[in-house]
């Protein structure tokens, strides 16, 4: 089936099954058309990462506020709330096993939930059952985890033993009772499609009804510098096939995606394919929403937060 035909079919299914709403999101501290994100990211390890994945190499940590000692995380969260934040994303670098230092910061996380009104999301990394239970007991609202559908990609890019680490981590998060926002990086294998549909099926088997797609952004000073991202049409076909196969699954297109012409084309195709939420939407996609008779809503949070009821303390 041709790409546009596939996208049209997916869009019809989406409107029938999920209605005509679409969410647009301004996450982190991005500024978009006068809207400023109110969901800053904090790093528990500063700029340090022992795993040093090929697609990131710790570069994504440079944009986050460091909070590397117990007490600093709580202070940073309170400062963010005083500055108008609705929530925070707690992230950081991993050790060689893919773990973040959650146990050291369990008390800070609990106090943030007790002493602030912030929504707390975490990039969980690859957790064991004890870490997952700790996050749940601290009151974390949402755990984000990358889902990798190919063993070779897990080894080459994430330096993990294989995708079984991903499956076990996902199981641990769900067993702990955490809300989970699975992320699939499209073109993660050096700009090639390899295992993305297997990752989608892993999410579906786990019983999750939401999924976030992001697209590899080849960053400078990483092992993928200079690579071409996966072709826009291939990324759009994955979104469309996911909608056709899983019509009730909520789909997000996240903030990580190549900018420029790629961004404009992908966002418009994603909207036509029935994606429910788009972070940092291209202006052309916002305009297209009107032409498709969609009803947009806006929020200054991560798009993954929109998979659940809006923040009640907001507005």
């Amino acid at each position: 089936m041709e790409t546009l035909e596939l996208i049209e079919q997916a869009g019809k299914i989406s409107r029938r099954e999920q209605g005509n709403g679409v969410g647009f999101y301004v996450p982190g501290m991005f500024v978009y058309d006068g809207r400023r994100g109110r969901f800053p990211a904090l790093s528990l390890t500063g700029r340090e990462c022992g795993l040093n994945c090929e697609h990131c190499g710790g570069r994504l940590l440079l944009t986050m506020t460091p909070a590397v000692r117990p007490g600093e995380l709580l202070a940073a969260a309170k400062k963010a709330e005083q500055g108008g934040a609705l929530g925070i994303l707690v992230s950081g670098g991993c050790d060689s096993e893919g773990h973040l230092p959650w146990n050291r910061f369990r008390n800070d996380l609990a106090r943030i939930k007790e002493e602030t009104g912030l929504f707390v999301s975490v990039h969980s990394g690859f957790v064991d059952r004890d870490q997952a239970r700790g996050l749940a007991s601290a009151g974390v609202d949402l755990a984000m985890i990358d889902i990798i559908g190919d063993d070779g990609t897990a080894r080459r890019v994430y330096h993990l033993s294989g995708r079984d680490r991903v499956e076990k981590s996902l199981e641990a998060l769900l067993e702990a009772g955490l809300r989970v926002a699975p992320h699939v990086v499209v073109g993660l294998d050096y700009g090639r499609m390899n295992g993305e549909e297997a990752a989608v099926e892993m999410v579906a088997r786990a019983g999750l009804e939401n999924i976030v797609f992001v697209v590899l952004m080849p960053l400078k000073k990483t092992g993928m510098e200079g690579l071409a991202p996966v072709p826009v049409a291939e990324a759009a076909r994955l979104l469309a096939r996911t909608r056709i196969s899983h019509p009730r699954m909520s789909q997000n297109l996240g903030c990580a995606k190549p900018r420029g012409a790629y961004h404009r084309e992908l966002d418009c195709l994603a909207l036509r394919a029935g994606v429910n939420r788009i972070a940092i939407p291209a202006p052309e996609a916002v305009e297209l929403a009107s032409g498709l008779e969609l009803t947009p809503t806006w929020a200054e949070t991560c798009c993954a937060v929109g998979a659940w009821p809006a923040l009640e303390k907001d507005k």
Side-chain angles (χ1 to χ4, degrees):
M1 187 180 295
E2 294 294 330
T3 297
L4 293 180
E5 184 181 356
L6 190 71
I7 287 171
E8 182 179 357
Q9 180 182 348
K12 288 179 179 178
I13 291 172
S14 180
R15 311 303 173 228
R16 184 186 71 225
E17 297 290 333
Q18 304 210 24
N20 293 323
V22 62
F24 294 135
Y25 289 78
V26 184
M29 296 303 289
F30 286 99
V31 178
Y32 180 98
D33 194 25
R35 298 176 182 269
R36 179 178 291 275
R38 299 162 68 186
F39 218 91
L42 312 177
S43 172
L44 302 182
T45 63
R47 299 182 177 186
E48 299 301 317
C49 180
L51 198 58
N52 199 30
C53 301
E54 295 298 317
H55 66 307
C56 172
R59 302 295 297 174
L60 295 176
L61 300 176
L62 301 181
T63 62
M64 301 179 187
T65 300
V68 300
R69 298 179 183 84
E72 291 181 355
L73 178 61
L74 176 62
K78 288 185 172 181
K79 182 177 181 180
E81 185 178 44
Q82 292 167 0
L86 301 174
I88 55 173
L89 171 60
V90 184
S91 185
C94 296
D95 64 19
S96 60
E97 297 298 316
H99 295 154
L100 276 79
W102 293 122
N103 291 339
R104 289 183 62 213
F105 292 90
R106 189 178 299 182
N107 186 57
D108 272 32
L109 290 169
R111 290 187 62 186
I112 291 168
K113 292 305 300 178
E114 292 169 0
E115 300 176 22
T116 77
L118 294 170
F119 189 100
V120 177
S121 297
V122 300
H123 271 151
S124 68
F126 303 106
V127 298
D128 57 31
R129 282 178 167 78
D130 179 65
Q131 290 172 319
R133 286 192 292 264
L135 292 172
S137 67
V140 165
D141 295 293
L142 178 65
M144 304 181 186
I145 181 172
D146 289 353
I147 304 297
I148 309 164
D150 175 71
D151 283 331
T153 303
R155 290 192 295 268
R156 286 188 295 274
V157 179
Y158 279 76
H159 306 151
L160 298 174
S161 58
R163 65 176 183 173
D164 61 311
R165 290 289 307 283
V166 179
E167 291 192 85
K168 290 178 180 177
S169 295
L170 181 57
E171 289 173 3
L173 293 170
L174 293 173
E175 287 177 5
L178 284 158
R179 292 172 171 176
V180 178
H183 284 54
V184 175
V185 184
V186 183
L188 177 63
D189 190 12
Y190 292 83
R192 300 183 295 262
M193 297 283 284
N194 188 5
E196 283 82 352
E197 295 202 30
V200 171
E201 293 310 310
M202 190 189 303
V203 171
R205 285 196 306 273
L208 289 165
E209 297 180 350
N210 64 292
I211 191 167
V212 181
F213 291 101
V214 294
V215 180
L216 176 71
M217 300 173 64
L219 299 176
K220 293 181 178 179
K221 298 182 180 180
T222 71
M224 298 192 184
E225 180 177 359
L227 291 177
V230 64
V232 174
E234 289 191 34
R237 287 178 66 86
L238 175 65
L239 300 178
R241 287 194 298 267
T242 300
R243 170 61 69 223
I244 292 167
S245 300
H246 304 286
R248 296 302 302 165
M249 184 180 284
S250 177
Q251 289 188 45
N252 296 8
L253 180 59
C255 55
K257 51 196 169 186
R259 301 297 189 247
Y262 191 107
H263 180 197
R264 294 190 292 272
E265 185 177 358
L266 178 61
D267 280 10
C268 288
L269 290 175
L271 201 62
R272 290 187 181 278
V275 164
N276 301 89
R277 300 170 183 86
I278 300 179
I280 317 178
E284 291 81 358
V286 176
E287 184 177 352
L288 177 61
S290 177
L292 295 175
E293 299 183 346
L294 301 177
T295 302
T297 57
W298 287 84
E300 292 84 28
T301 70
C302 292
C303 67
V305 174
W308 293 279
L311 297 170
E312 294 181 1
K313 74 178 281 281
D314 184 18
K315 331 297 189 267

